[in-house]
Amino acid sequence: MELGQKKTDECCFGPKGRIDVGGLIKRINDTMEKRANSELQSHDITFFQFKMLLTLHCLKDGTATLKELERYFGVAQSTAAGVAVRLERKQLIESFHAPGDRRVKCVRLTEAGRTLCESHRAPVEQGEADMLRSLSPEEQEQLKELLLRVYRSLCDSPAANHEIPLKG
């Protein structure tokens, strides 16, 4: 098999015919992201922007600090701030300083952001269902548990950049 050929089953093999697990996970993620970006294009937002909106939507008051979002998504401060600025320009979130500490910037989902989340959550969930449709419900649960175990193992390694989950 030559590089660049599009044979689906053979594109994920590394040296000596071994499956490149990391590469396969990346390809799955890239494919899902491309589909989601296509779905969200008419609203002029990216999948990452939508994930930030959905994260805020899942929090009890729709509010988080930029630092929490930065850690949750594992991105640089400039990335989290840039995404927030773009979402605020689109009036999907609003930003404000934390009461009692003007150094801490917070963002909150607006009603327009909430509406967008509610109207496009189903297509995103359908994308995940499409990804898992070839697996039985038991296999789906097993895959989720195995991936979570792998992720936790990576986070627990000495080289890990420990992320702090947002609490809803």
Side-chain angles (χ1 to χ4, degrees):
M1 170 86 7
E2 300 275 331
L3 282 179
Q5 288 183 318
K6 295 189 177 193
K7 191 126 187 191
T8 306
D9 289 345
E10 294 180 24
C11 70
C12 302
F13 290 97
K16 299 182 182 178
R18 294 187 188 129
I19 293 178
D20 175 12
V21 176
L24 185 56
I25 290 171
K26 182 180 180 337
R27 283 178 181 264
I28 291 168
N29 182 69
D30 291 349
T31 301
M32 297 292 294
E33 188 170 353
K34 184 177 178 181
R35 288 180 182 186
N37 280 329
S38 177
E39 172 72 31
L40 296 165
Q41 187 175 19
S42 64
H43 294 283
D44 191 32
I45 65 168
T46 65
F47 185 47
F48 187 77
Q49 291 170 349
F50 187 67
K51 287 192 299 187
M52 188 176 281
L53 292 174
L54 276 179
T55 300
L56 292 170
H57 189 261
C58 292
L59 297 173
K60 65 179 177 172
D61 61 355
T63 302
T65 67
L66 279 182
K67 192 62 153 173
E68 288 172 323
L69 292 170
E70 170 191 331
R71 288 178 181 161
Y72 180 77
F73 287 108
V75 297
Q77 184 274 336
S78 59
T79 300
V83 171
V85 165
R86 287 186 287 284
L87 291 172
E88 189 167 21
R89 281 188 198 140
K90 296 170 187 180
Q91 300 179 338
L92 298 171
I93 65 169
E94 58 188 0
S95 65
F96 59 96
H97 294 286
D101 191 348
R102 295 196 45 81
R103 297 171 297 168
V104 178
K105 189 168 184 179
C106 300
V107 293
R108 177 185 307 126
L109 200 60
T110 64
E111 192 57 42
R114 190 175 275 79
T115 300
L116 183 67
C117 285
E118 290 167 1
S119 66
H120 281 74
R121 187 177 210 146
V124 170
E125 289 173 355
Q126 184 59 52
E128 185 165 318
D130 290 346
M131 174 181 63
L132 298 173
R133 74 174 171 247
S134 66
L135 303 176
S136 70
E138 295 79 20
E139 290 170 324
Q140 290 178 27
E141 286 307 309
Q142 184 179 24
L143 176 63
K144 290 174 189 177
E145 287 298 320
L146 290 171
L147 289 172
L148 188 58
R149 190 182 329 160
V150 167
Y151 176 72
R152 285 179 177 153
S153 175
L154 287 172
C155 288
D156 291 341
S157 74
N161 179 8
H162 297 282
E163 297 160 3
I164 300 171
L166 291 170
K167 304 228 186 295

